[in-house]
């Protein structure tokens, strides 16, 4: 059979987190709960921000976009995982695999750039508080969001097109729970040199650029806060950044561990690390930002109270209809 007939597989097999049948149902239950918590938590964050006039500022605008991106990010991966946990075949078509890879990269990069934008937002708010609302809301917010989305789409398209040019002629078993770039590259029997060079140059730059922005922003914030005379002022400034720093550490720490290593070193440990930035971080974001932020906590309490009031009104209306002659 000629090589030209082997360049396109009809499907891949996702090995998942475990190949043991007894593990599948417990894993299904665990990830279903995590997915529902992620969707519910992030939706509550978005609704709380949209419904509270006091949360209409750039920081919460970007947080609502981050919550939306997290919902999309996990939805690209987890539903297919859940289906495969209960399926014997665990297959994914070639086209579906590349589509999943594209949107995974898109929303992952949007998350990365939004974290950098939020760090810049904190720097402007703390170091230049007087022109903050005018500069961030009217000029920078739309531009920063547009850049994050546009660059993420182009970056993802580049990597998917480079994968699409490869020849797959050996195994079709992906040692992962979704179509990530590195596990798919390991199946190629044609040269992946270009893919690896692009990943270690353009790919590294796309991750390091927002990371450097975050580091510089927080160094400037640290210098500014150290010049604040009162201890209370210093604590207040640091408290506004603590939630964001926690998310940044989880997200970039796990990404660095997984991707900044040679392709040949990719092992099962990387699958576990991938869960941190694909599922765990998205699930924890609502808790981190709400539990450590008084304004966000107040907004959520108001939203939940409003929802309860509406449910009580509906229950009362239904009860009245039942008792009508």
């Amino acid at each position: 059979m000629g090589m030209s007939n082997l360049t396109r597989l009809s499907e891949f097999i996702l090995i998942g987190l475990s190949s043991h049948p007894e593990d599948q149902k417990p894993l299904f239950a665990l990830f279903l709960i995590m997915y529902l918590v992620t969707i519910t938590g992030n939706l509550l964050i978005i609704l709380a921000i949209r419904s509270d006039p006091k949360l209409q500022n750039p920081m919460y605008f970007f947080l609502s976009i981050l919550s939306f991106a997290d919902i999309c990010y996990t939805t690209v991966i987890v539903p297919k995982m859940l289906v495969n946990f209960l399926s014997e075949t665990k297959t994914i078509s070639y086209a579906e695999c590349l589509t999943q890879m594209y949107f995974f990269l898109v929303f992952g990069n949007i998350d990365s750039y939004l974290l950098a934008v939020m760090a810049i937002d904190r720097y402007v708010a703390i170091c230049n508080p007087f022109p903050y609302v005018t500069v961030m809301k009217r000029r920078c917010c739309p531009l920063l969001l547009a850049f994050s989305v546009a660059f993420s789409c182009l970056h993802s398209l580049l990597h998917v097109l480079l994968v699409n040019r490869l020849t797959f002629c050996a195994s079709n078993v992906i040692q992962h729970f979704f179509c990530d770039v590195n596990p798919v590259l390991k199946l190629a029997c044609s040269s992946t040199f270009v893919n690896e060079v692009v990943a270690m140059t353009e790919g590294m730059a796309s991750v390091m650029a927002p990371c450097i922005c975050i580091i510089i922003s927080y160094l400037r914030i640290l210098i500014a806060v150290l010049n604040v005379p009162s201890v209370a002022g210093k604590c207040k400034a640091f408290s506004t950044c603590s939630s964001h720093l926690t998310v940044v550490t989880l997200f970039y720490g796990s990404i660095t561990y997984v991707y900044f290593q040679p392709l040949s070193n990719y092992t099962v440990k990387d699958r576990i690390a991938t869960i941190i930035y694909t599922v765990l971080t998205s699930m924890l974001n609502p808790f981190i930002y709400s539990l450590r932020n008084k304004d966000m906590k107040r907004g959520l309490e108001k939203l939940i109270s409003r929802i309860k009031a509406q449910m009580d009104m509906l229950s009362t209306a239904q009860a009245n209809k039942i008792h009508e002659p």
Side-chain angles (χ1 to χ4, degrees):
M1 189 178 292
M3 185 67 74
S4 60
N5 294 327
L6 296 165
T7 56
R8 290 291 179 272
L9 294 172
S10 61
E11 63 183 21
F12 291 104
I13 298 171
L14 294 166
I15 203 68
L17 291 172
S18 173
S19 58
H20 302 295
E22 64 272 14
D23 294 338
Q24 304 307 306
K25 288 184 179 178
L27 285 171
F28 173 85
L30 174 64
F31 279 91
L32 177 61
I33 292 168
M34 292 175 72
Y35 181 59
L36 292 175
V37 170
T38 300
I39 299 298
T40 304
N42 283 290
L43 274 176
L44 285 173
I45 291 287
I46 294 169
L47 292 172
I49 291 170
R50 295 302 180 196
S51 63
D52 192 341
K54 292 184 179 179
L55 299 179
Q56 303 302 310
N57 65 47
M59 181 178 78
Y60 295 111
F61 167 76
F62 288 123
L63 178 56
S64 67
I65 301 299
L66 180 67
S67 292
F68 174 75
D70 282 339
I71 290 172
C72 297
Y73 195 32
T74 52
T75 301
V76 168
I77 299 168
V78 177
K80 185 62 179 177
M81 280 180 68
L82 295 175
V83 170
N84 285 347
F85 283 139
L86 302 180
S87 172
E88 292 184 3
T89 56
K90 303 183 188 300
T91 57
I92 183 170
S93 70
Y94 182 86
E96 189 182 355
C97 183
L98 291 189
T99 302
Q100 186 185 57
M101 184 186 296
Y102 174 76
F103 285 107
F104 159 73
L105 291 171
V106 166
F107 291 113
N109 277 274
I110 288 174
D111 262 16
S112 176
Y113 277 89
L114 283 174
L115 290 173
V117 167
M118 291 170 76
I120 294 169
D121 172 79
R122 290 298 81 211
Y123 161 70
V124 176
I126 293 171
C127 300
N128 299 284
F130 296 110
Y132 167 65
V133 174
T134 302
V135 171
M136 289 302 295
K137 195 168 187 178
R138 294 183 182 176
R139 301 175 189 174
C140 293
C141 282
L143 289 175
L144 289 170
L145 180 59
F147 171 80
S148 300
V149 174
F151 182 84
S152 298
C153 290
L154 292 173
H155 163 84
S156 305
L157 183 62
L158 170 65
H159 285 273
V160 169
L161 289 175
L162 287 174
V163 170
N164 192 46
R165 56 177 273 281
L166 296 175
T167 300
F168 298 94
C169 56
S171 172
N172 69 335
V173 178
I174 299 174
Q175 299 291 329
H176 214 329
F177 54 87
F178 72 101
C179 288
D180 199 0
V181 177
N182 283 352
V184 173
L185 290 182
K186 291 190 78 171
L187 300 181
C189 56
S190 56
S191 174
T192 59
F193 177 74
V194 174
N195 300 69
E196 293 185 56
V197 169
V198 172
M200 295 303 291
T201 52
E202 188 273 344
M204 184 177 289
S206 70
V207 174
M208 291 307 297
C211 192
I212 290 169
C213 284
I214 292 169
I215 292 169
I216 292 173
S217 296
Y218 276 108
L219 284 175
R220 298 293 296 273
I221 289 170
L222 180 63
I223 293 168
V225 169
L226 290 176
N227 291 326
V228 174
S230 68
V231 175
K234 290 179 181 178
C235 291
K236 184 178 179 181
F238 281 126
S239 68
T240 63
C241 303
S242 59
S243 301
H244 183 255
L245 277 173
T246 304
V247 174
V248 166
T249 303
L250 279 171
F251 187 80
Y252 281 104
S254 53
I255 281 182
T256 301
Y257 175 80
V258 171
Y259 290 105
F260 292 164
Q261 59 177 314
L263 183 60
S264 57
N265 293 346
Y266 201 85
T267 64
V268 68
K269 290 181 180 179
D270 300 306
R271 274 187 265 167
I272 307 301
T274 303
I275 293 172
I276 296 174
Y277 70 86
T278 55
V279 182
L280 191 62
T281 303
S282 298
M283 184 186 74
L284 292 178
N285 277 357
F287 298 100
I288 293 170
Y289 282 110
S290 60
L291 295 177
R292 306 185 71 174
N293 186 307
K294 291 180 181 178
D295 292 336
M296 195 69 246
K297 192 185 295 186
R298 189 197 66 250
L300 283 169
E301 287 171 354
K302 287 170 64 177
L303 174 66
I304 292 169
S305 298
R306 196 178 299 119
I307 292 171
K308 284 182 179 178
Q310 289 177 351
M311 290 177 68
D312 290 340
M313 289 175 62
L314 287 172
S315 298
T316 304
Q318 288 177 349
N320 291 335
K321 284 184 178 180
I322 292 171
H323 290 97
E324 284 179 1

